[in-house]
Amino acid sequence: VQLVQSGAEVKKPGASVKVSCKASGYTFTSYYIHWVRQAPGQGLEWMGIINPSRGSASYAQKFQGTVTMTRDTSTTTVYMELTRLTSEDTALYYCARGTVGTFWDYWGQGTLVNVSS
Amino acid sequence: QSVLTQPPSASGTPGQRVTISCSGGSSNSGSNTVNWYQQLPGTAPKLLIYNYDQRPSGVPDRFSGSKSGTSASLAISGLQSEDEADYYCAAWDDSLNGALFGGGTKVTVL
């Protein structure tokens, strides 16, 4: 099982970023994918969950309206797009495989998003 | 309440036992399982304990978990230098319909 994320991004305030998470080594539609972020020197923050089978997603209240999670079953890739970026969105973004709940058995390597003017 | 509370730090000498608490409420740790994650410096979190007290394959048995009411605990017995890391508890919150993390506990081996 592997989750491989896209590379680091540098964005200006107000811009959008789209991070990818390519899954391999298991049946893509059998597990949910969660997104978790970690600001520099801070703790972990859950952003939301996508069901790769149905394409349906649910987001933490804080991110509703600014985050969109999608998937492409043909490439077994999940995407997380965050819009209207501010400096407070500077963080490492992780995707993690799991169920509904907090059981995450495989994690991506993380993608650093740096929002700076 | 929709918060998981952990102590910010814990420490011990090699060989000692260290315990980390995770206190929540009826909507999270009181009704849903608590899982624990270890994050070594510069790496992604790793599943350490699931369903309160289960260890994934490969996790040493010096790590153990327990539950009492709306709280959970992680114990590290026979502390080793490689256990120096941040530890997070996590639970689903039914009120938020989302996942919650504790604030994290930094374990230092003296």
Side-chain angles (χ1 to χ4, degrees):
Chain A
V1 175
Q2 276 196 308
L3 298 175
V4 178
Q5 299 183 222
S6 49
E9 304 263 12
V10 179
K11 296 291 182 180
K12 293 197 180 302
S16 300
V17 68
K18 193 169 187 176
V19 179
S20 67
C21 170
K22 178 168 176 58
S24 62
Y26 71 98
T27 302
F28 178 65
T29 52
S30 294
Y31 293 85
Y32 291 81
I33 294 290
H34 298 245
W35 288 89
V36 172
R37 78 176 186 180
Q38 186 171 36
Q42 302 300 308
L44 302 171
E45 181 175 33
W46 183 79
M47 299 180 69
I49 177 177
I50 182 168
N51 179 341
S53 178
R54 301 177 63 181
S56 55
S58 177
Y59 310 125
Q61 189 171 9
K62 174 177 179 176
F63 299 101
Q64 287 179 9
T66 59
V67 73
T68 304
M69 297 176 188
T70 57
R71 93 314 189 197
D72 182 340
T73 55
S74 67
T75 60
T76 65
T77 301
V78 172
Y79 299 92
M80 186 282 298
E81 182 174 25
L82 194 58
T83 61
R84 302 200 298 270
L85 293 169
T86 72
S87 58
E88 294 185 354
D89 295 313
T90 292
L92 255 178
Y93 289 78
Y94 293 103
C95 61
R97 186 187 87 157
T99 60
V100 176
T102 61
F103 179 93
W104 302 299
D105 55 356
Y106 289 92
W107 293 67
Q109 83 276 21
T111 296
L112 179 63
V113 175
N114 188 348
V115 183
S116 174
S117 55
Chain B
Q1 71 277 26
S2 294
V3 174
L4 295 176
T5 301
Q6 297 180 234
S9 63
S11 62
T13 57
Q16 277 191 327
R17 176 184 171 93
V18 168
T19 302
I20 302 168
S21 61
C22 173
S23 178
S26 58
S27 61
N28 41 72
S29 57
S31 55
N32 297 300
T33 58
V34 173
N35 300 317
W36 290 90
Y37 293 85
Q38 177 193 57
Q39 188 176 33
L40 296 169
T43 69
K46 168 191 165 185
L47 180 64
L48 194 66
I49 296 286
Y50 66 98
N51 288 354
Y52 293 107
D53 60 3
Q54 302 297 301
R55 283 187 307 277
S57 172
V59 173
D61 60 6
R62 64 177 185 276
F63 293 95
S64 62
S66 63
K67 173 190 176 180
S68 178
T70 58
S71 294
S73 294
L74 172 71
I76 310 173
S77 302
L79 192 65
Q80 299 184 7
S81 58
E82 58 260 39
D83 299 333
E84 201 161 88
D86 294 321
Y87 293 83
Y88 295 90
C89 62
W92 194 260
D93 188 282
D94 293 330
S95 297
L96 298 176
N97 194 31
L100 273 182
F101 284 101
T105 299
K106 183 175 183 61
V107 169
T108 302
V109 181
L110 302 171

